[in-house]
């Protein structure tokens, strides 16, 4: 490949990346993207002198810094005055109308994202520098870290010199997932998405930042673009065309219109994918802004309306303890039900013993609760002046509340764990996780069915799932199951035996080992036994496997109960090797496959990835050139068209059996 072809590849990948991370579109499959990215890395390894500033390889993070450089902003980054009521907003508007009596004013109203403000500087369209706001005059150089954020364009669609301001944040779903991992691993939960986003951006090692799923919305521009448009809303449209992910403003002309937007946003707030703590109201016209000017620390043409904290007072009736799949004991406050942010809350997590002691929480206390990040109910504080004489302090028991085994707390962890590897509660959560879509994807085995299997002593751990066929007749007699349900469950269990090793590793629920780590382990070691026998040093040589993860894997496979369970699976015929080599066999080379109907074993994207890796290609429409139509439940017109054209058809299950996946 020559330099020109390399540059085309860089540009192509940037287009795909921007479509996915800025516009939420997927123009190509994940496997196609991965193949192109691997090609990019291969070229840059062979020709490091070609590596472009806007190459996606720049997002992976560089060498750790000793400290952050101080950056003086070219233009002072002002803060905003706050408004807490509609009267404050009306006062803000009246002051502006007093200074601009002849103008018909339009105001931009947009979400105030609860994150960390940064200034991004571009030179000739290339990201040159990124800095935190700091004190408004001097910030910290976080360029390497900001480059890891996928929604930040490394190169603009035009070679402009400009500076933009944006808010870096962590989406709620990503935050919740990270906290779930922390809790299951016995580590301290992160306080809230904003703090985690700020801490991630201020990591001295940008490789750490690269692992955190941060995003950004741009809300202001300084420089070239501002000289070519006359209003704020126009500037945002221009920035979007340059490749930025921008906030979406609503234009208003009266206090009532602004109030309507605020009320509507309050109602939608809990459904948003990220946290906001208010709305920003700005004069839309740049000329009017210039006339109004600024005060010492804030502009006269903008104000931040802060939403009131959504808190409610209630009483803790009791504190119960939940045992998770890794044995972590999590205390939960059972509350007198109360409505918070549109939801009836009857329970709140208390996280761990340290949290209870720090907040001085007792059974019987009157407490203030809120939705942490507007998602997870949390106890904010105890109203000690209302404490009753009979309020009872709480300590997590020394024995597991389910199996009565001794509990323990490892050095350096906040979690208290059940030490019994066969604890029913621990096993229940482990089995549910094993059957989940992200792991072995055993359809039909939800929490209710798992409970029935455990209560009837048909299963003790995940390995026993593969002996359930022996209890088929007994299962059919269970109320609510019946012949068809049982046959479907047993068929799903049988189908799961042929899953790839990475799914099995994910299903085992090894602390710290998620889907990505499981995939990397499967690729490197090829089979389960090799992973089980690997030294901690060998494990750390796997991509993205650190010391703590390697130690966790080593401890897991050293446990005789775990090895016993895995052996049961192997004896039942569960696949324990990586199937990636099979996928790369080229079996489907030259074939065009159309997928239709509802697929059960894999998602549509996963199925397309498999076909792509085996040399085939997928199409969205049926024609005489179609090689096969693979159909799931509910297939309709495409299947009928295939039959009419004489195109070969097969069921989803038959297709996977044919290709050996």
């Amino acid at each position: 490949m020559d330099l020109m072809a390399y540059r085309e590849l860089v540009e192509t990948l940037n287009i795909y990346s921007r479509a996915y991370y800025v516009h939420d579109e997927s123009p190509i499959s994940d496997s196609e993207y991965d193949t192109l990215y691997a090609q990019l890395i291969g070229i840059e390894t062979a020709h490091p002198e070609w590596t472009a500033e806007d190459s996606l390889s720049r997002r992976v993070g560089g060498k750790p810094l000793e400290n952050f450089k101080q950056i003086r902003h070219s233009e002072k980054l002002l803060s905003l005055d706050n408004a807490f009521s509609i009267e404050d907003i009306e006062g803000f508007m009246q002051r502006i109308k007093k200074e601009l009596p002849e103008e018909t004013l339009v105001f931009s109203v947009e979400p105030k994202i609860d994150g960390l403000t940064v200034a991004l500087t571009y030179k000739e369209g290339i990201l040159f520098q990124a800095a935190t706001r700091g004190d408004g005059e001097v910030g910290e150089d976080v360029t390497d870290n900001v480059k890891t954020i996928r929604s930040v364009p490394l190169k603009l669609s035009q070679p402009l010199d400009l500076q933009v301001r944006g808010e870096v944040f962590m989406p709620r779903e990503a935050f919740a997932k990270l906290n779930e991992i922390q809790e299951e691993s016995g580590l301290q939960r992160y306080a809230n998405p904003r703090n985690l986003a700020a801490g991630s951006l201020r990591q001295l090692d940008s490789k750490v930042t690269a692992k955190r799923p941060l995003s950004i919305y741009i809300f202001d521009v300084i420089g070239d673009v501002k000289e070519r448009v006359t209003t704020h809303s126009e500037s945002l449209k221009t920035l979007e065309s340059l490749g930025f992910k921008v906030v979406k403003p609503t234009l208003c002309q009266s206090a009532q219109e602004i109030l309507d937007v605020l009320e509507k946003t309050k109602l939608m707030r809990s459904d948003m994918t990220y946290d906001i703590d208010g709305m920003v109201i700005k004069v839309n016209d740049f000329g009017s802004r210039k006339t109004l000017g600024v005060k010492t620390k804030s502009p006269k043409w903008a104000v931040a309306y802060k939403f009131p904290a959504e808190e409610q007072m209630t009483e803790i009736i009791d504190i119960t303890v939940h045992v998770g799949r890794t044995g972590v004991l999590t205390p939960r406050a059972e509350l007198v039900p109360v409505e918070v942010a549109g939801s009836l809350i009857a329970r709140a997590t208390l996280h761990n013993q340290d949290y209870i002691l720090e907040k001085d929480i007792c059974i019987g206390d009157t407490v203030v609760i809120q939705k942490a990040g507007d998602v997870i109910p949390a106890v904010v504080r105890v109203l000690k002046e209302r404490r009753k004489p009979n309020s009872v302090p709480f300590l997590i028991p020394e024995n597991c509340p389910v199996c009565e085994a001794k509990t323990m707390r490892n050095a350096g962890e906040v979690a208290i764990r059940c030490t019994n590897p066969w604890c029913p509660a621990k096993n229940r959560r482990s089995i549910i996780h094993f059957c989940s879509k992200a792991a072995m994807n055993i359809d039909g085995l939800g929490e209710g069915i798992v409970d029935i299997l455990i209560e009837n002593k048909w299963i003790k751990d995940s390995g026993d799932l593969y002996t359930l066929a022996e209890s088929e007749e007994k299962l059919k007699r269970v109320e609510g199951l019946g012949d068809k349900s049982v046959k479907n469950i047993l068929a799903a269990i049988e189908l799961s035996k042929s899953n790839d090793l990475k799914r099995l590793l994910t299903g085992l629920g090894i602390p710290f080992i998620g889907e990505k780590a499981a995939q990397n382990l499967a690729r490197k070691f090829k089979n389960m036994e090799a992973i089980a026998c690997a030294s901690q040093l060998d494990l750390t040589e796997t991509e993205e496997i650190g010391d703590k993860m390697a130690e966790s894997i080593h401890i897991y496979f050293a446990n005789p109960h775990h090895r016993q369970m895995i052996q049961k699976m192997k004896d039942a015929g569960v696949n324990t090797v990586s199937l990636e080599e099979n996928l790369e066999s080229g079996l489907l080379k030259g074939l065009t496959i159309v997928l239709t109907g509802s697929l059960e074993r894999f998602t549509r994207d996963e199925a397309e990835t498999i076909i792509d890796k085996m040399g085939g290609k997928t199409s969205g429409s049926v024609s005489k050139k179609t090689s096969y139509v693979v159909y799931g439940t509910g297939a309709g017109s495409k299947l009928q068209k295939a039959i009419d054209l004489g195109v070969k058809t097969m069921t989803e299950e038959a297709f996977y059996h044919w290709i050996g996946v």
Side-chain angles (χ1 to χ4, degrees):
M1 179 178 283
D2 59 21
L3 180 58
M4 185 177 293
Y6 163 73
R7 283 297 313 164
E8 288 177 0
L9 178 60
V10 169
E11 184 58 33
T12 298
L13 277 167
N14 279 330
I15 290 169
Y16 292 150
S17 181
R18 188 157 55 246
Y20 187 83
Y21 291 102
V22 177
H23 302 298
D24 299 319
E25 299 170 353
S26 301
I28 61 172
S29 68
D30 289 349
S31 62
E32 288 175 305
Y33 183 90
D34 290 344
T35 299
L36 291 174
Y37 184 74
Q39 188 179 356
L40 177 80
I41 298 301
I43 295 166
E44 291 179 349
T45 301
H47 299 281
E49 71 279 5
W50 288 1
T51 305
E53 283 298 317
D54 59 326
S55 167
L56 289 187
S57 64
R58 298 283 188 179
R59 295 197 187 276
V60 300
K63 293 180 180 178
L65 303 172
E66 292 184 8
N67 51 53
F68 291 110
K69 285 194 307 180
Q70 300 294 296
I71 299 291
R72 181 164 292 278
H73 297 300
S74 59
E75 183 176 308
K76 189 173 181 179
L77 305 186
L78 301 171
S79 57
L80 297 177
D81 288 339
N82 290 327
F84 297 97
S85 66
I86 189 61
E87 289 76 22
D88 291 343
I89 293 170
E90 287 174 338
F92 161 72
M93 295 176 72
Q94 286 167 5
R95 288 191 297 274
I96 290 174
K97 286 179 179 177
K98 189 175 180 180
E99 293 199 42
L100 301 171
E102 302 301 320
E103 292 191 26
T104 302
L105 293 170
V106 176
F107 296 89
S108 170
V109 184
E110 56 203 49
K112 185 178 181 298
I113 298 166
D114 195 11
L116 186 74
T117 300
V118 294
L120 310 181
T121 303
Y122 288 79
K123 290 190 175 181
E124 296 183 357
I126 301 294
L127 178 60
F128 172 73
Q129 192 175 74
T132 60
R133 180 182 176 276
D135 63 3
E137 295 184 357
V138 177
E140 292 176 321
D141 186 347
V142 289
T143 307
D144 287 346
N145 290 347
V146 164
K147 282 182 176 180
T148 70
I149 302 173
R150 299 285 181 168
S151 47
V152 172
L154 299 178
K155 181 183 179 182
L156 305 180
S157 60
Q158 295 180 40
L160 303 178
D161 292 343
L162 78 159
Q163 186 181 95
V164 296
R165 289 175 68 187
E167 200 77 3
V168 174
F169 65 94
M170 181 168 288
R172 288 176 176 173
E173 187 177 345
F175 175 73
K177 192 169 184 178
L178 285 175
N179 257 345
E180 186 180 314
I181 294 169
Q182 289 289 107
E183 199 160 83
E184 290 289 359
S185 303
L187 301 176
Q188 186 74 46
R189 289 173 61 90
Y190 298 114
N192 54 62
R194 189 209 178 278
N195 288 359
L196 182 54
S200 300
L201 199 63
R202 297 190 70 257
Q203 289 284 336
L204 291 171
D205 186 352
S206 58
K207 286 187 172 65
V208 175
T209 310
K211 293 178 183 178
R212 303 277 172 83
L214 300 175
S215 190
I216 191 171
Y217 274 110
I218 303 301
F219 60 80
D220 197 11
V221 61
I222 301 165
D224 197 338
V225 170
K226 206 166 187 176
E227 304 303 319
R228 297 189 297 163
V229 295
T230 60
T231 67
H232 172 64
S233 54
E234 288 175 353
S235 73
L236 291 178
K237 288 179 182 177
T238 303
L239 290 177
E240 189 171 29
S241 71
L242 291 172
F244 291 106
K245 194 170 186 174
V246 300
V247 294
K248 303 297 182 185
T250 302
L251 299 182
C252 302
Q253 288 185 278
S254 68
Q256 186 57 53
E257 287 180 4
I258 292 173
L259 179 60
D260 290 344
V261 173
L262 298 182
E263 291 301 319
K264 183 180 178 182
T265 306
K266 278 184 191 177
L267 294 174
M268 294 170 51
R269 189 179 172 193
S270 59
D271 297 324
M272 297 178 78
T273 58
Y274 51 86
D275 284 350
I276 63 172
D277 57 3
M279 300 289 282
V280 179
I281 302 156
K282 306 172 181 176
V283 171
N284 192 43
D285 184 75
F286 286 150
S288 299
R289 288 186 184 185
K290 191 171 182 180
T291 301
L292 290 166
V294 299
K295 295 183 284 186
T296 305
K297 293 184 177 180
S298 58
K300 293 181 180 180
W301 42 263
V303 69
Y305 173 78
K306 303 297 285 287
F307 287 135
E310 297 186 271
E311 298 181 340
Q312 287 291 344
M313 186 173 66
T314 186
E315 185 180 322
I316 297 179
I317 304 168
D318 195 7
I319 296 177
T320 57
V321 176
H322 167 79
V323 183
R325 65 181 171 87
T326 60
V328 174
L329 276 62
T330 304
R332 298 193 295 201
E334 306 296 332
L335 309 168
V336 174
V338 63
E339 190 169 303
V340 184
S343 302
L344 191 65
I345 305 300
R347 180 179 290 151
T349 180
L350 298 176
H351 306 306
N352 52 63
Q353 187 65 59
D354 290 357
Y355 186 87
I356 292 173
L357 295 174
E358 179 192 333
K359 299 280 186 185
D360 189 19
I361 296 169
C362 294
I363 298 170
D365 276 348
T366 299
V367 295
V368 173
I369 65 167
Q370 69 175 189
K371 281 188 175 181
D374 290 324
V375 179
I376 306 163
V379 173
V380 180
R381 60 186 178 277
V382 176
L383 300 178
K384 293 182 183 176
E385 67 276 11
R386 291 174 174 254
R387 177 165 283 172
K388 300 172 184 176
N390 60 348
S391 288
V392 181
F394 181 83
L395 291 173
I396 291 179
E398 294 181 357
N399 296 86
C400 174
V402 177
C403 70
E404 299 186 351
K406 280 286 184 186
T407 59
M408 65 173 290
R409 179 171 177 170
N410 294 326
E413 291 189 357
V414 296
I416 295 172
R417 299 175 186 270
C418 171
T419 56
N420 177 12
W422 302 114
C423 173
K426 189 157 67 170
N427 285 340
R428 176 183 180 273
R429 294 305 314 170
S430 294
I431 294 165
I432 291 167
H433 170 73
F434 184 86
C435 299
S436 67
K437 192 171 184 180
M440 293 297 275
N441 194 23
I442 303 178
D443 194 34
L445 275 180
E447 294 191 27
I449 303 298
V450 169
D451 286 341
I452 291 170
L453 299 177
I454 293 172
E455 286 165 13
N456 284 277
K457 298 183 179 178
W458 289 324
I459 62 171
K460 190 176 181 181
D461 61 32
S462 300
D464 293 332
L465 292 169
Y466 296 97
T467 64
L468 275 179
E470 299 168 11
S471 305
E472 182 173 356
E473 294 308 314
K474 293 178 183 176
L475 283 168
K476 289 176 181 177
R477 292 196 290 271
V478 174
E479 187 177 351
L481 282 181
D483 289 10
K484 187 173 181 182
S485 294
V486 171
K487 285 187 180 298
N488 287 342
I489 289 169
L490 294 178
I493 292 170
E494 186 64 27
L495 197 60
S496 74
K497 291 180 180 179
S498 57
N499 279 341
D500 190 81
L501 172 60
K502 66 184 177 185
R503 280 189 171 272
L504 180 56
L505 284 170
T506 301
L508 294 180
I510 303 169
F512 305 110
I513 305 303
E515 295 172 55
K516 183 64 175 176
Q519 182 181 56
N520 290 340
L521 288 165
R523 282 177 175 173
K524 178 176 173 62
F525 291 96
K526 307 298 184 187
N527 64 76
M528 181 75 78
E529 193 58 35
I531 297 169
C533 296
S535 67
Q536 286 185 226
L537 181 61
D538 287 341
L539 290 167
T540 57
E541 291 176 356
T542 307
E543 185 182 355
E544 294 190 16
I545 302 293
D547 291 338
K548 198 168 183 69
M549 296 168 80
E551 181 184 16
S552 179
I553 297 165
H554 193 69
I555 290 170
Y556 183 90
F557 284 107
N559 187 317
H561 297 292
H562 294 153
R563 295 188 75 104
Q564 207 173 52
M565 180 182 72
I566 292 166
Q567 190 59 50
K568 276 192 282 187
M569 295 179 188
K570 291 174 74 173
D571 292 344
V574 175
N575 174 60
T576 58
V577 301
S578 172
L579 299 174
E580 286 211 352
E581 289 182 9
N582 290 350
L583 289 178
E584 293 166 4
S585 64
L587 177 64
L588 302 179
K589 188 174 182 181
L591 300 181
T592 300
I593 312 292
V594 172
L595 302 169
T596 187
S598 178
L599 304 183
E600 295 182 3
R601 185 170 164 201
F602 295 107
T603 65
R604 186 64 60 96
D605 284 346
E606 288 170 340
E608 289 178 352
T609 297
I610 290 169
I611 292 166
D612 178 72
K613 285 187 174 181
M614 298 186 79
K617 66 176 182 178
T618 55
S619 175
S621 58
V622 180
S623 70
K624 289 183 178 180
K625 294 181 180 179
T626 303
S627 307
Y628 292 93
V629 170
V630 176
Y631 62 92
T633 56
S637 58
K638 290 181 183 178
L639 178 59
Q640 186 57 54
K641 186 173 182 180
I643 294 169
D644 293 343
L645 292 174
V647 172
K648 295 177 183 177
T649 65
M650 65 175 79
T651 65
E652 177 191 7
E653 188 174 345
F655 175 66
Y656 295 137
H657 179 75
W658 173 46
I659 63 177
V661 173

